Amino acid sequence: MMPDKIAIRAREIDNRLSQLYPKAKTALLFSNPLELLVATILSAQCTDERVNQVTRSLFKKYKNAADYAEASQSELEADIYSTGFFRNKAKSIKGCCDTIISTFGGKMPDNLDDMLKLPGVGRKTANLVLGAVYGIPGIVADTHFIRLSQRLGLTKNTDPVKIEFDVQPLIPQKRWSPFSLELTLHGRAICHARKPKCSKCVLLDLCPFSAKSI
DNA sequence: CTCCCGATAT
DNA sequence: ATATCAGGAG
């Protein structure tokens, strides 16, 4: 398929999904940039619902970077236990807060390069936080985005960074963040990893994958 | 590539 | 029993 055809299809996909999920916003609950960073770290291989359940009490206990930095590793592990990967996540959160304090003077980094210096923060987490808090455009290549962009024929790559760069030229920069969330929401609601509901999908006629799965 | 890892759906 | 959930590091 010609690249320009893909771009036209990508725009149509964005148009339809933006109608289906109007004013889509992240389901993660937060009231400041640090809280969103923590919630996003916790969301790895875990549902947003469970993350919110954990952060509701977590954010009452830990108000700033120093609170996490000064907490013991084992106590923080216990506080986030049910999100899974609790040792890695506790270490990442504490490491982020250490770096925020020592390297960034207690302020949250507000650009991609600085955000990626935080331990446990990769491009997916960084782009999500930057987009939601600072309005900085970025493709959030999470597990849903990767699966749907592959099924929809927007990329043939499997590497998240390559997928990010494959999709960028297909969508206006202003739409990168909303488009990412649309694919994620559609992945949760319809285009499941295991048993996609192709018959209920508004993208049916645009999707190469649907032809094979019906 | 493997490992980290609990909760839930199938 | 097994796959999957807004991943990242070694």
Side-chain angles (χ1 to χ4, degrees):
Chain A
M1 192 175 298
M2 302 298 284
D4 54 327
K5 293 286 188 182
I6 298 179
I8 291 170
R9 208 155 45 84
R11 293 301 307 277
E12 179 62 18
I13 290 168
D14 184 29
N15 287 339
R16 292 191 196 177
L17 291 184
S18 62
Q19 296 270 338
L20 190 57
Y21 309 105
K23 292 183 289 181
K25 235 181 59 161
T26 176
L28 295 171
L29 300 176
F30 67 99
S31 56
N32 59 56
L34 178 63
E35 287 190 356
L36 181 58
L37 175 65
V38 171
T40 307
I41 289 171
L42 294 179
S43 72
Q45 296 295 298
C46 183
T47 60
D48 286 359
E49 189 182 358
R50 178 152 299 279
V51 171
N52 290 335
Q53 187 179 316
V54 167
T55 56
R56 180 159 46 175
S57 51
L58 188 75
F59 292 161
K60 288 178 184 169
K61 181 171 176 181
Y62 302 87
K63 297 292 189 186
N64 51 50
D67 289 343
Y68 292 105
E70 289 164 11
S72 77
Q73 170 78 18
S74 59
E75 184 175 1
L76 185 54
E77 284 177 5
D79 290 333
I80 65 172
Y81 178 81
S82 69
T83 64
F85 294 158
F86 56 89
R87 293 187 186 89
N88 288 347
K89 289 174 180 177
K91 192 175 177 185
S92 294
I93 291 168
K94 282 180 64 65
C96 283
C97 290
D98 289 342
T99 303
I100 287 169
I101 291 167
S102 63
T103 305
F104 299 116
K107 290 181 60 181
M108 276 281 290
D110 60 357
N111 62 81
L112 186 60
D113 284 343
D114 285 345
M115 194 77 73
L116 292 176
K117 291 175 183 169
L118 301 177
V121 174
R123 298 185 64 90
K124 177 261 166 182
T125 300
N127 280 326
L128 178 98
V129 172
L130 290 171
V133 174
Y134 303 106
I136 298 173
I139 296 288
V140 181
D142 67 0
T143 180
H144 296 295
F145 188 94
I146 292 167
R147 182 178 68 255
L148 268 69
S149 58
Q150 287 170 340
R151 285 179 175 174
L152 289 164
L154 304 184
T155 181
K156 291 177 180 174
N157 283 304
T158 55
D159 174 48
V161 181
K162 288 182 180 175
I163 292 175
E164 201 181 314
F165 293 144
D166 282 344
V167 175
Q168 278 181 354
L170 302 179
I171 300 287
Q173 194 173 30
K174 285 265 185 186
R175 296 292 309 162
W176 287 356
S177 298
F179 183 69
S180 299
L181 185 53
E182 286 165 10
L183 283 198
T184 295
L185 294 176
H186 200 58
R188 287 183 195 158
I190 303 292
C191 192
H192 299 147
R194 205 162 351 171
K195 208 174 137 196
K197 301 175 181 173
C198 295
S199 62
K200 295 189 175 180
C201 183
V202 298
L203 307 176
L204 192 63
D205 57 306
L206 301 171
C207 183
F209 180 83
S210 68
K212 294 182 289 186
S213 64
I214 293 180

